[in-house]
Amino acid sequence: MPLRHYKRWAVALLLLVALAGIIVDAASREAYEWSAFRKYLLDGRVIKASLVTLELTLLSMFFAIILGVALGVMRRTENPIFKNFAWLFIWIFRGTPVYVQLVFWGLFSTIYKEVFIGIPWIHFGDFSLGFHLTLSQTASLFWIAVLGLTLNEAAYMAEIVRGGLLAVDSGQEEAAKSIGMSSLQTMRYIVIPQAMRVIIPPTGNEVISMLKTTSLVTAVPLVTDLYARTRDISNETYNPIPLLLVACTWYLFYTTILMAAQYFLEKRFGRGFNRNAVISA
Amino acid sequence: MVDAQAINKSYGSHKVLKDVSLTVKPGEVACIIGPSGSGKSTFLRCINHLEKIDAGRIFVDGQIIGYREAHGKLYELRESEADIQRRDIGMVFQRFNLFPHMTALDNVIAGLIHVQKVDKKKAEVEGLALLERVGLGNKSTHFPSQLSGGQQQRVAIARALAMKPKLMLFDEPTSALDPELVGDVLQVMKDLAATGMTMIVVTHEMGFAREVADSVFFMDEGVVVESGTPDQVLGNPQEARTREFLSKVL
Ligand SMILES: Nc1ncnc2c1ncn2[C@@H]1O[C@H](COP(=O)(O)OP(=O)(O)OP(=O)(O)O)[C@@H](O)[C@H]1O
Ligand SMILES: [Mg+2]
């Protein structure tokens, strides 16, 4: 006689009934305006805005991961300047709200209309060592948003990377050195691939979290992303709820894709750590 | 082959090595024995420049480890130069330290591919031959987590041998193994010694020391208390401390 889980089934049934009730109720409620939901879900403007959100997410994460790895490695070095710089960066960007940072970077481009990159006090006639960058022209609000999101996220990534590096046994580094690998090769071929196993799950969460944080870029103010765009449309047509549902559907759609990507990456970098893995000849 | 002269090493105020000297001729096997904490591992790590020494000199094959001599002065090597010196010295660790994210074969050829930049196909042929030599030709696609301790240690030996070292250092290679697995690893080491490899072995296996070693060094509290042939040190120890230690392990 197999074990019967009566209680478990009872609770599950209760949940199902409740869920069905909510769905049936929502389907018939006027306020949700399902016809508007269907109309705007695949609206050209909404699809374009959802792609802006995706771009913001992927670009910011890409730069944040690079910067985060650099900061995480810097915190581990013996060099006190590197160490303290990384600490200061993390302290500032993790210690202030991302919304406030985005407002600040938005204002930044109005405070510094032009930035000179190079050595300012050396010039020969018209020729100078460096170049002028006109922020109000070249740096669109989109890139300011990417900058703001990147710097904030890099602080979190640095901590994740540091944790990952600490998780790798110090014997690994010794073994790599004993076969003549340089510090850089040891990092690249031995330490980082193993740290990845620890780094990827929280990084996946960060990507998904970033997808949703992009809805704050309105602080810059950037208004081409998914949330701002659907809000603007609803301001014209006075139907906020269906457009909020449209936005949520798109966020969920991308989150699902990102979760699948995370699953495959985790599998890839978990190689060798699972005793029961199938051995391919 | 190895000539260590009056090596001193401290961690903070704790002196771990005090004027340790040791010589090993080419093709010879030296065993280092001694109680826990006596500085055996530290000494091996100094030979491979994984630790910096505070005083003394270590010559391996005529080269000063960690330094370069010019105009009668010693200059400390850059890290990248020390990395190059290390290629000629193989090391086997108590806890194997295989790379867990690589298969046995990839472990063996990691040095060939990344350090010596050997072509992958060629490296794999060499790697397989080395795995055969340690009796693991059929385990090349296994990950370390899928191998027993004794098999892992033999892969680690193959990994060190892949770099064609002039000298092999073993730090208690069998003390993390179940007793029934020790024999296979010792056999591989005996075979290696028979090929004329110069070896320094820190070990508690007195049988191995007696059978294979050309010289035995007994260390205690950072000092080489007694050294000589296995018959002298193990069979007829002169120092009280050596006798006390041997009575515990034998
Ligand atoms: N990185 C370190 N920092 C501080 N002290 C250390 C360090 N490494 C080793 N020591 C100390 O140096 C002494 C010698 O250690 P070592 O590992 O060389 O001993 P050992 O002879 O190999 O012992 P065992 O047989 O237990 O392996 C010990 O007292 C140890 O506590
Ligand atoms: Mg030791």
Side-chain angles (χ1 to χ4, degrees), chain B residues 150 174-189 205:
Chain B
T174 57
S175 49
L177 299 179
D178 291 338
E180 71 270 23
L181 302 174
V182 169
D184 289 340
V185 173
L186 290 182
Q187 190 55 49
V188 168
M189 291 169 63
E205 296 292 331

Side-chain angles (χ1 to χ4, degrees), chain B residues 138-152:
Chain B
N138 56 343
K139 302 281 186 201
S140 62
T141 57
H142 284 54
F143 284 98
S145 62
Q146 298 161 328
L147 298 171
S148 75
Q151 292 169 335
Q152 287 187 56

Side-chain angles (χ1 to χ4, degrees), chain A residues 169-183 185 189-191 193-194 269 271-281, chain B residues 45 48 50 79 83-84 86-87 89-91 93 95 97-102 110-111 114-115 117 141-143 145-147 159-160 163:
Chain A
D169 183 62
S170 64
Q172 291 291 309
E173 226 166 301
E174 285 193 352
K177 289 209 144 172
S178 80
I179 54 171
M181 284 197 188
S182 67
S183 310
Q185 287 174 325
Y189 299 115
I190 307 302
V191 178
Q194 288 180 60
F269 283 97
R271 272 193 327 188
F273 290 91
N274 179 5
R275 246 196 109 85
N276 304 320
V278 181
I279 297 157
S280 56
Chain B
R45 293 154 50 80
N48 208 1
L50 290 171
E79 217 183 307
D83 294 335
I84 294 173
R86 237 178 250 124
R87 292 179 197 174
I89 303 173
M91 185 147 184
F93 303 86
R95 299 197 44 246
N97 297 353
L98 286 181
F99 307 133
H101 58 303
M102 296 181 183
H114 298 308
V115 178
K117 314 281 182 208
T141 57
H142 284 54
F143 284 98
S145 62
Q146 298 161 328
L147 298 171
R159 175 178 70 181
M163 299 300 287

Side-chain angles (χ1 to χ4, degrees), chain A residues 51-86:
Chain A
L51 289 176
V52 171
T53 285
L54 190 65
E55 272 178 86
L56 279 171
T57 306
L58 297 181
L59 283 171
S60 307
M61 267 329 282
F62 175 75
F63 293 124
I65 288 172
I66 294 176
L67 191 55
V69 169
L71 288 166
V73 172
M74 269 161 87
R75 280 208 70 178
R76 238 175 67 119
T77 58
E78 321 260 281
N79 186 323
I81 295 173
F82 283 173
K83 238 174 153 147
N84 288 314
F85 173 83

